[in-house]
Amino acid sequence: MRYDFLFNKDDTLTLAVIHQLNNAPTNTVTRNDLISQYELTTYQLNKLFTAINAAFKAVGGEPPCYIEESTKDLWQAHHLNTFVVQQATLYLLEQSASFKAFTYYFLYSKQTTTTAFAKDHYLTAAVFFRQTSTLKHRFGDNPGRASSEHSEFALRQYLFQLFYELYTGVKAPFPELDGKIAPLLAACTATIGHDLLPTQQVKLTTFLKVSWLRRQNGDALPAVPTPFQATGYSTLEAAVADSDAEDLTASELDYLYQFLVTQRFLALPATELPSLFPRADELTRQFIADVAQSNQVNLTGDTIEALTTRLMPVHIRLTTAFLEPTTFIDASQITFFADLYPAFDAIIQQFLGQLDERPDLKLSANRRINLYFSEMFALISAVPQTALRRTVNICVDFSEGTLYSEYVTMTLRAFSHANICVTHKLTAETDIYIADFRAPSLKLPQVIWQNPPTPHDWTELADLILTFTRTNAGLKGGGADV
């Protein structure tokens, strides 16, 4: 999610270099690199050095994080890790004048005046006016208000994502609201039927706080024509009514219920999902149709059911878009799965290409990559090896005897994937023969291993497997990146 507009130029640079130090294998960066990359003067470099250490000092920690230049022109970070980066990011965000103005317009504009808010947050009128102008340029003349381009539903999603992503793991946002949302949180927990896991607790609490602030600020969701009629809805409705929570409109209750379902806090019977989420059902059916047309998988009723069970939650999240993904969004990691599962990669790439042509589904780059991984994991877990029309059949046969051959077989199976079948039998279906000496009579690819196999031996086998899997999938070369 993009939120860099909330930082001023100096803080943006400070965070960029902190990230750079954290990502460097030795946590170092040279002055020359910084000068070249950011076009900085000596004065600006010294100012940046001071700013980074000031941020580290502000977040504390034991042992404390800091940078030093004990070697000329080399900045070395000590005790730096991802948690420190998250702490520094949140610290600089909460000091940001732009973030304070943003918070006012989106969460407090109808509860207090600009003058009172600016004074309470140590902003001068001039600074607040300047930040207001920036927000108007980005969000329109009335920042924080829903418009035809940005519905109230979309704005709440945006705010929830921002506060969830920036605060989670560091501290809870809006701690003063804990008592306000406690009755509603208890009603949700009673509906769910069990205590929430820590990640669920944080996610739901953040969601409830953002929703509460929008309602208090007069930003209501539009009326819904017909409330949900599904498992758990009446239970949630009754739990909210019986609690000390504020009265929720049908729209607000629907919004809360959808969140619980899409985040899988509430599990619904599979039979109810298609009518509640027709677009997700359509995408799931389309994906399974693509699997069938690929001619790579023998689709049985059990496999279709397993795929549907795994794909529906993925496509529900995609079409309701409560959360922009923050994990499995690295396109460079796709090659690994494309090589191991070229048939699955081809199916997913075709499906994603179809989604690209749909105007109703505008996927961000991160969401598209995350969807690739989600659908890949669904295929891997739902499609058994026996359902694949063609696997790479490997025969293991070592002169050391059965025990050693079984050891190698177990080792291979530990690294096996859906397109590999390892046996001790040599048949007409065998694709690769592994042994410790060559068998001249065999007219098929042979891998001759030392005892035990070397890294080079493993590499040779992996390359041979990739050749077979790509051929079987009708592919030339590795899977395409999304």
Side-chain angles (χ1 to χ4, degrees):
M1 182 180 182
R2 302 288 296 181
Y3 48 79
D4 47 351
F5 70 94
L6 295 173
F7 297 96
N8 62 34
K9 185 177 179 180
D10 288 344
D11 288 345
T12 299
L13 176 60
T14 298
L15 285 175
V17 176
I18 288 176
H19 278 277
Q20 194 168 333
L21 284 164
N22 188 50
N23 293 333
T26 57
N27 296 134
T28 59
V29 64
T30 67
R31 278 179 169 261
N32 286 337
D33 285 343
L34 295 176
I35 291 171
S36 173
Q37 188 171 354
Y38 301 106
E39 299 180 352
L40 302 177
T41 65
T42 300
Y43 170 77
Q44 291 170 324
L45 273 174
N46 293 336
K47 182 180 176 183
L48 173 62
F49 186 90
T50 302
I52 292 174
N53 270 331
F56 288 157
K57 183 177 180 180
V59 302
E62 189 59 41
C65 181
Y66 64 95
I67 58 172
E68 66 174 358
E69 191 177 342
S70 57
T71 301
K72 182 177 174 56
D73 295 333
L74 182 70
W75 289 7
Q76 171 78 57
H78 297 274
H79 314 304
L80 179 61
N81 54 46
T82 299
F83 181 56
V84 173
V85 174
Q86 293 172 334
Q87 289 178 298
T89 301
L90 185 56
Y91 165 74
L92 293 174
L93 179 77
E94 292 187 328
Q95 307 308 307
S96 163
S98 181
F99 178 65
K100 292 174 182 177
F102 174 91
T103 303
Y104 170 77
Y105 281 107
F106 281 89
L107 300 176
Y108 297 104
S109 60
K110 287 190 176 181
Q111 301 180 63
T112 185
T113 65
T114 56
T115 302
F117 188 89
K119 182 179 179 181
D120 289 343
H121 291 79
Y122 308 102
L123 297 176
T124 65
V127 169
F128 196 87
F129 175 78
R130 185 165 61 250
Q131 299 304 327
T132 297
S133 298
T134 301
L135 291 176
K136 285 182 177 180
H137 178 73
R138 187 177 186 89
F139 294 99
D141 290 335
N142 201 357
R145 314 253 52 91
S147 64
S148 57
E149 293 80 18
H150 301 284
S151 68
E152 177 62 21
F153 181 80
L155 278 179
R156 290 195 190 186
Q157 288 177 299
Y158 175 75
L159 292 169
F160 165 63
Q161 177 77 36
L162 186 148
F163 285 100
Y164 178 74
E165 184 175 334
L166 289 172
Y167 279 80
T168 297
V170 182
K171 66 179 183 178
F174 313 112
E176 68 278 7
L177 299 184
D178 287 343
K180 301 283 188 184
I181 66 157
L184 201 51
L185 182 62
C188 291
T189 304
T191 303
I192 294 167
H194 56 78
D195 291 338
L196 299 176
L197 293 170
T199 54
Q200 294 176 318
Q201 182 89 14
V202 170
K203 189 177 290 185
L204 180 55
T205 300
T206 304
F207 174 83
L208 293 175
K209 288 179 178 180
V210 169
S211 298
W212 190 90
L213 286 169
R214 288 295 287 181
R215 291 196 298 272
Q216 291 300 304
N217 205 45
D219 299 297
L221 291 164
V224 293
T226 305
F228 272 103
Q229 298 295 327
T231 298
Y233 186 86
S234 58
T235 304
L236 177 64
E237 187 177 30
V240 171
D242 292 342
S243 71
D244 294 329
E246 59 179 309
D247 292 333
L248 295 181
T249 65
S251 299
E252 294 289 348
L253 196 63
D254 273 24
Y255 182 55
L256 175 56
Y257 178 79
Q258 281 194 61
F259 181 82
L260 296 179
V261 171
T262 57
Q263 297 304 306
R264 308 190 77 176
F265 290 11
L266 279 178
L268 300 186
T271 54
E272 294 185 10
L273 295 177
S275 60
L276 291 175
F277 304 99
R279 285 210 303 165
D281 180 58
E282 175 199 349
L283 293 177
T284 299
R285 291 176 182 274
Q286 179 183 340
F287 188 92
I288 293 175
D290 288 348
V291 175
Q293 292 170 6
S294 72
N295 202 34
Q296 298 290 336
V297 178
N298 291 312
L299 279 180
T300 64
D302 288 343
T303 303
I304 291 174
E305 181 181 354
L307 271 175
T308 302
T309 299
R310 289 160 174 79
L311 289 169
M312 273 299 287
V314 171
H315 294 147
I316 287 171
R317 287 195 299 272
L318 175 69
T319 52
T320 55
F322 268 103
L323 265 178
E324 183 74 12
T326 57
T327 58
F328 290 105
I329 55 176
D330 185 352
S332 66
Q333 296 174 345
I334 286 177
T335 303
F336 174 80
F337 289 92
D339 283 342
L340 288 175
Y341 307 97
F344 292 167
D345 174 76
I347 294 168
I348 297 170
Q349 296 291 359
Q350 178 183 339
F351 181 74
L352 291 175
Q354 293 168 343
L355 296 192
D356 289 338
E357 298 176 1
R358 293 183 54 152
D360 61 323
L361 287 174
K362 298 180 179 179
L363 301 183
S364 65
N366 284 354
R367 190 169 291 278
R368 196 176 190 277
I369 297 167
N370 183 265
L371 181 59
Y372 176 96
F373 285 116
S374 297
E375 291 174 339
M376 178 63 76
F377 297 151
L379 284 168
I380 293 170
S381 61
V383 178
Q385 186 186 71
T386 54
L388 292 173
R389 294 190 186 277
R390 188 70 171 92
T391 60
V392 179
N393 295 299
I394 301 174
C395 175
V396 175
D397 179 27
F398 282 86
S399 60
E400 288 289 333
T402 303
L403 288 178
Y404 186 72
S405 292
E406 287 180 349
Y407 161 73
V408 174
T409 299
M410 290 177 60
T411 305
L412 281 170
R413 284 174 178 165
F415 292 94
S416 285
H417 301 282
N419 60 332
I420 300 175
C421 179
V422 184
T423 70
H424 297 298
K425 294 181 179 180
L426 190 62
T427 70
E429 299 298 320
T430 301
D431 298 304
I432 300 173
Y433 177 77
I434 302 178
D436 48 1
F437 63 86
R438 183 167 297 277
S441 61
L442 293 181
K443 306 300 181 183
L444 55 85
Q446 299 183 43
V447 177
I448 310 305
W449 276 4
Q450 299 182 42
N451 296 330
T454 66
H456 175 75
D457 291 335
W458 282 103
T459 301
E460 183 183 4
L461 175 62
D463 290 341
L464 202 52
I465 290 173
L466 290 181
T467 299
F468 271 91
T469 53
R470 290 167 181 164
T471 302
N472 291 341
L475 301 174
K476 293 183 180 180
D481 288 343
V482 292

